[in-house]
Amino acid sequence: MNLNSKTKSDLEDALYQCRHSFISAAIFSMCINFLMLVPVIYMLQLYDRVIPSGSMSTLIMLTLIAMFLFLTMGGLEWVRSMILVKVSTRLETLLNTRLHDISFKQSLYTGGKKASSQPLDDLTGLRQFLTGNGLFAFFDAPWIPVYIAVMFMFHAWIGWMAVITACVLILVAVANEKLTRNALTEANNIAMANRAQLNKSLVNAEVIESMGMLGSMRARWLARNDEVLQFQSNASSKAGLLAALSKVLRLASQSLILGLGAYLAIQREISPGSMIAGSILLGRALAPIDQMIGGWKGFIGARDQYSRINELFKGVPKDEERMSLPDPQGELTAESALITPPGAKLPAIKGVSFTIKKGQLVGILGPSGAGKSTLVRALLGIWPTSSGKIRLDGADVFTWDREELGSSIGYLPQDVELFEGTVSENISRFGELDSEAVIKACKAADVHEMILRFPDGYDTMIGPAGGTLSGGQRQRIGLARALYGDPALIVLDEPNANLDEAGETALTKAMTGLRHADVTVLVVTHRPNILAAMDNIMILNDGQIVAFDQRDKVLAQLQSQQTALPARPSTVVPG
């Protein structure tokens, strides 16, 4: 037997932890449904006891008892709803952190292709369903046989009519499920994909506006939106028809049962009170079915949300707790590392092996598509190796606890993203703010004076995507963030791509400081002016290392190769 089949997903485990609350809600539902018989009993007593006897004291007493029981039922309804509210809140508390991390991992391991908050939106939708009226119908439905049994006590014909009507409505509910499920599921899937595409368009609004792409992008969005509307319209039309049919059947059956009761009363087989009571009981017995038909769209949505969340939890296992390792010193080793970017079929790094000693400054060069960014992502433990190992201080970089390792690593990606918050919060990585460490990092990156000239200095607010900062300013603040906390390993991917002359000078100064601090530094660059600060140079081409040695030796090798090439005729560009 597969042992994994016995393992609960996080969602199933969370529901299991809430089982006592669901049992309590079911018990309250039992009491509420028994109290639903109060109007029937009260009416029977009025018809069969109070009116024939003309006793006012009996009428008053019965009325007081009925009012008390109604108030009790209302209190139980409120308590039941509060139980489900608490359950929904507890479910979100138990699951939201895990879903947040899964959403983050999906974006990380797919290169941002699956960046979406949909799992958290699904959890919110599921929580809202648990607090809505739709769920109450499922708690009340098991008591339908109780009402029908009471109707059989009045007369067998009344009971059988209730059974037939309930069966017809159940068939309508099943038809509603069959006719609307696929359309609603397809509409939800297209809507999610369309929403994700719209979010990407909004993020890249400048590109779309500058190149006149708005009309084309809008047309694509509208076409998909029309598909969603078409599916939803078809499903809603069918659901509406079946809901109307359900309502007509319920109302007609209540009237027919009155006619049947009148016939039986004329035949003196039941009392007039039983005739009215049968109609009331039939309405109460059919109410949960009618309510389920009316709220079927919400139920299908909740079911799909449950399935997506459950599959997500099963597909992305929880990280195992790892033993803490000593703070890294910064020695990197690659052992026949094969690295395939997320979503790619072919490896971008093909079995490379090398060792970078603690405190070395290494420049990584190569043409576009050589695998430079892929390599540094693997060295940082962001992308896993397909085979082979990447080791940091002898330990597999993927076995480190990321929260503990993060403070020992500085990373400046090609596209620097600053987050909404103050300059100091961004530099301190939104952890506990250590003003001395922030200023130290900024001075090391030579941005202290630049930040002091901001409107509010270190307390200047940065908006989404860096706010009003220029590309060079974002890159320099990103460098300070990478240097924060005295990390042992720093990786800079095209750190001078957006820098002016002052920024270049600051970067060179930072490299000198890192050399003196004995920090391991990897710099991916296309610009030769930063190479003067490097100890070693690694050259990648087509995912393989073609040179890795001391800077002067590699540069001399490159110079000799260029000299050996035949001279090309010069090209004059008219100007």
Side-chain angles (χ1 to χ4, degrees):
M1 181 179 291
N2 185 359
L3 295 178
N4 292 333
S5 63
K6 294 184 177 180
T7 304
K8 293 186 178 72
S9 70
D10 293 72
L11 179 55
E12 292 166 342
D13 184 61
L15 290 172
Y16 181 75
Q17 292 183 47
C18 297
R19 67 191 184 281
H20 296 301
S21 298
F22 285 116
I23 292 172
S24 299
I27 292 172
F28 277 98
S29 295
M30 177 185 69
C31 297
I32 291 167
N33 279 277
F34 277 130
L35 289 174
M36 286 289 185
L37 296 172
V38 169
V40 175
I41 297 172
Y42 177 69
M43 193 224 31
L44 283 173
Q45 294 301 314
L46 292 183
Y47 270 91
D48 298 341
R49 180 173 298 182
V50 174
I51 293 176
S53 67
S55 173
M56 292 299 296
S57 60
T58 303
L59 174 62
I60 293 172
M61 185 56 65
L62 286 173
T63 302
L64 290 175
I65 293 172
M67 293 302 105
F68 171 76
L69 292 176
F70 286 145
L71 290 173
T72 303
M73 183 175 66
L76 293 176
E77 287 267 17
W78 178 77
V79 172
R80 180 176 69 169
S81 65
M82 289 298 100
I83 289 174
L84 294 178
V85 169
K86 295 289 185 183
V87 168
S88 66
T89 302
R90 188 181 181 194
L91 278 177
E92 176 134 355
T93 303
L94 289 171
L95 300 175
N96 55 12
T97 300
R98 177 96 162 86
L99 280 177
H100 176 277
D101 292 348
I102 287 176
S103 299
F104 178 80
K105 283 184 177 181
Q106 279 190 320
S107 177
L108 183 66
Y109 296 150
T110 60
K113 294 178 182 178
K114 289 188 177 181
S116 173
S117 62
Q118 186 61 44
L120 292 169
D121 294 338
D122 284 340
L123 180 60
T124 300
L126 190 59
R127 176 176 58 80
Q128 290 173 344
F129 176 76
L130 289 176
T131 58
N133 292 328
L135 187 62
F136 292 150
F138 292 91
F139 279 108
D140 294 337
W143 301 100
I144 293 174
V146 174
Y147 297 123
I148 294 178
V150 174
M151 295 172 74
F152 269 104
M153 294 172 63
F154 295 156
H155 195 279
W157 287 11
I158 293 177
W160 283 115
M161 184 173 181
V163 169
I164 293 170
T165 306
C167 289
V168 171
L169 287 182
I170 290 172
L171 289 176
V172 172
V174 172
N176 193 31
E177 150 76 358
K178 298 293 184 183
L179 292 174
T180 61
R181 178 181 180 180
N182 292 336
L184 289 175
T185 300
E186 189 67 22
N188 289 334
N189 291 338
I190 296 175
M192 286 190 296
N194 205 25
R195 188 161 55 248
Q197 185 62 45
L198 177 61
N199 290 334
K200 288 182 180 179
S201 298
L202 294 176
V203 170
N204 295 284
E206 291 182 4
V207 174
I208 292 173
E209 177 68 15
S210 62
M211 294 192 289
M213 297 167 58
L214 179 59
S216 300
M217 299 302 293
R218 186 199 308 117
R220 286 170 60 88
W221 176 79
L222 285 173
R224 291 184 178 181
N225 197 55
D226 287 342
E227 287 185 63
V228 173
L229 293 176
Q230 187 63 42
F231 279 116
Q232 289 181 339
S233 176
N234 291 339
S236 298
S237 297
K238 295 172 183 177
L241 176 62
L242 293 173
L245 177 61
S246 170
K247 185 174 182 179
V248 168
L249 289 172
R250 182 167 56 84
L251 294 174
S253 62
Q254 286 183 272
S255 297
L256 287 174
I257 206 168
L258 277 175
L260 176 61
Y263 170 78
L264 294 173
I266 292 172
Q267 299 296 320
R268 300 193 181 280
E269 295 188 32
I270 61 172
S271 66
S274 298
M275 174 186 72
I276 305 298
S279 177
I280 295 174
L281 276 175
L282 182 64
R284 178 56 201 158
L286 301 181
I289 303 175
D290 198 49
Q291 193 174 1
M292 282 190 284
I293 294 173
W296 201 254
K297 183 178 179 180
F299 170 72
I300 290 178
R303 184 178 58 189
D304 291 342
Q305 289 158 354
Y306 175 90
S307 298
R308 285 195 296 268
I309 294 174
N310 207 34
E311 289 175 6
L312 201 58
F313 279 133
K314 290 180 177 179
V316 184
K318 187 182 296 185
D319 290 336
E320 297 179 3
E321 292 188 9
R322 301 186 182 277
M323 189 186 78
S324 297
L325 295 174
D327 291 340
Q329 299 300 306
E331 180 173 306
L332 282 169
T333 305
E335 301 173 353
S336 302
L338 188 75
I339 307 163
T340 304
K345 296 181 179 180
L346 299 176
I349 296 295
K350 304 170 183 178
V352 299
S353 298
F354 58 84
T355 297
I356 298 174
K357 297 294 186 181
K358 173 181 180 295
Q360 283 188 336
L361 276 67
V362 179
I364 302 177
L365 306 178
S368 297
K372 303 185 297 297
S373 296
T374 299
L375 177 61
V376 298
R377 286 185 174 97
L379 293 174
L380 291 170
I382 297 174
W383 287 355
T385 56
S386 303
S387 65
K389 295 290 184 182
I390 301 290
R391 298 188 182 277
L392 177 61
D393 288 1
D396 189 336
V397 70
F398 299 102
T399 63
W400 287 78
D401 182 283
R402 300 308 304 182
E403 295 288 337
E404 295 179 1
L405 181 61
S407 60
S408 299
I409 286 181
Y411 179 43
L412 181 67
Q414 285 188 35
D415 300 319
V416 181
E417 289 289 350
L418 300 179
F419 304 99
E420 195 164 357
T422 64
V423 171
S424 58
E425 286 175 331
N426 271 274
I427 293 171
S428 64
R429 309 180 185 185
F430 289 88
E432 184 177 350
L433 189 61
D434 184 341
S435 57
E436 292 184 3
V438 170
I439 292 173
K440 180 182 177 182
C442 290
K443 287 184 175 180
D446 200 20
V447 294
H448 177 65
E449 298 296 333
M450 182 190 80
I451 293 174
L452 291 180
R453 291 193 294 270
F454 287 170
D456 295 310
Y458 281 92
D459 295 320
T460 300
M461 289 296 299
I462 296 176
T468 58
L469 298 180
S470 68
Q473 288 174 324
R474 289 201 307 271
Q475 200 152 30
R476 294 180 68 182
I477 291 175
L479 177 61
R481 180 177 63 188
L483 301 181
Y484 177 80
D486 298 323
L489 171 64
I490 294 178
V491 177
L492 309 177
D493 196 351
E494 300 289 354
N496 51 355
N498 298 309
L499 297 183
D500 55 13
E501 186 176 349
E504 292 270 9
T505 303
L507 179 61
T508 303
K509 180 179 177 182
M511 292 295 103
T512 304
L514 292 172
R515 180 191 301 280
H516 292 156
D518 205 23
V519 177
T520 305
V521 182
L522 307 181
V523 180
V524 177
T525 183
H526 283 100
R527 295 189 178 184
N529 50 355
I530 198 175
L531 297 179
M534 300 295 105
D535 298 317
N536 294 58
I537 292 178
M538 178 187 295
I539 299 179
L540 291 173
N541 191 14
D542 194 26
Q544 295 181 326
I545 296 176
V546 296
F548 180 35
D549 208 331
Q550 294 178 2
R551 178 196 63 213
D552 294 338
K553 289 183 178 180
V554 174
L555 291 179
Q557 180 182 347
L558 287 176
Q559 185 66 32
S560 64
Q561 289 175 354
Q562 291 177 357
T563 304
L565 291 175
R568 295 183 180 181
S570 60
T571 302
V572 179
V573 180

